[in-house]
Amino acid sequence: RVGGGKTASRLSALEAALMSAIVDLGLGIVKQALVGAVEESILPLSDHHSRLNLPSGTSVAEGSHWMLLEQGDVPGKTARIELKPFASQDHLQAYLDREKPDLVVGTHPQQASHGFHDSLNAAAVTEFLGRPLGGRLALIIERNLLLIQK
């Protein structure tokens, strides 16, 4: 679920929640937003594979990834998030080519070496935020880019 009781699409839970939270924070509707994604494999796995349109026997994974967003310049903050909308995918790609962020995270679904799950973008973002080094991560959401700077 995302702000105001809205439910996010299963295939884009993190992205929908982040966009909703950034708008709510920007408008001053909220001062904080807890944003995340949970991926849970439901038994029997044959039914889970069917729901996800995966071939039988595909390895699946679970995950839970969360971040607290706050409005304004917060002491002790981990990173800054900036929403950058683009007129087209070509404009977005030109920006990425020019700015060269340290990590670019795309869209779902993704296959990982440890199994399929839709929350790999959430895993990549929270892993990036948890590492001690600085840098820039670009999360692509259609023609929008969330630039996360540490």
Side-chain angles (χ1 to χ4, degrees), residues 3 5 8 15 17-18 25 35 39 45 47 63 83 86 88 90 110 141:
E15 292 85 345
L18 276 170
L25 286 163
V35 177
E39 180 72 19
L45 286 180
D47 290 352
L83 175 63
F86 291 90
S88 70
D90 291 338
Q110 300 177 39
I141 306 171

Side-chain angles (χ1 to χ4, degrees), residues 96 99-105 128 131 133-138 147-150:
L96 292 173
E99 296 296 322
K100 298 182 181 14
D102 302 298
L103 180 62
V104 176
V105 180
F128 173 80
R131 72 183 194 183
L133 304 173
R136 295 180 307 153
L137 177 141
L147 184 61
I148 302 172
Q149 299 182 54
K150 286 190 64 175

Side-chain angles (χ1 to χ4, degrees), residues 10-149:
R10 198 184 98 31
L11 292 178
S12 60
L14 174 75
E15 292 85 345
L18 276 170
M19 295 294 283
S20 179
I22 287 170
V23 168
D24 287 352
L25 286 163
L27 293 173
I29 295 170
V30 298
K31 292 184 185 216
Q32 291 184 330
L34 181 62
V35 177
V38 174
E39 180 72 19
E40 185 175 13
S41 298
I42 308 298
L43 298 177
L45 286 180
S46 59
D47 290 352
H48 192 62
H49 287 120
S50 178
R51 276 189 293 279
L52 296 174
N53 295 319
L54 296 174
S56 179
T58 300
S59 177
V60 293
E62 297 181 324
S64 180
H65 315 281
W66 298 92
M67 64 196 97
L68 178 64
L69 306 180
E70 295 186 80
Q71 184 183 54
D73 194 18
V74 179
K77 69 182 176 190
T78 301
R80 176 181 165 86
I81 298 177
E82 181 181 359
L83 175 63
K84 293 182 170 289
F86 291 90
S88 70
Q89 291 290 80
D90 291 338
H91 287 105
L92 188 150
Q93 187 60 53
Y95 174 87
L96 292 173
D97 292 343
R98 185 177 65 252
E99 296 296 322
K100 298 182 181 14
D102 302 298
L103 180 62
V104 176
V105 180
T107 57
H108 310 282
Q110 300 177 39
Q111 177 74 32
S113 59
H114 56 279
F116 176 90
H117 64 93
D118 313 339
S119 59
L120 289 179
N121 289 348
V125 170
T126 55
E127 182 179 316
F128 173 80
L129 291 171
R131 72 183 194 183
L133 304 173
R136 295 180 307 153
L137 177 141
L139 174 61
I140 298 170
I141 306 171
E142 296 175 342
R143 291 186 333 233
N144 298 298
L145 181 78
L146 283 181
L147 184 61
I148 302 172
Q149 299 182 54

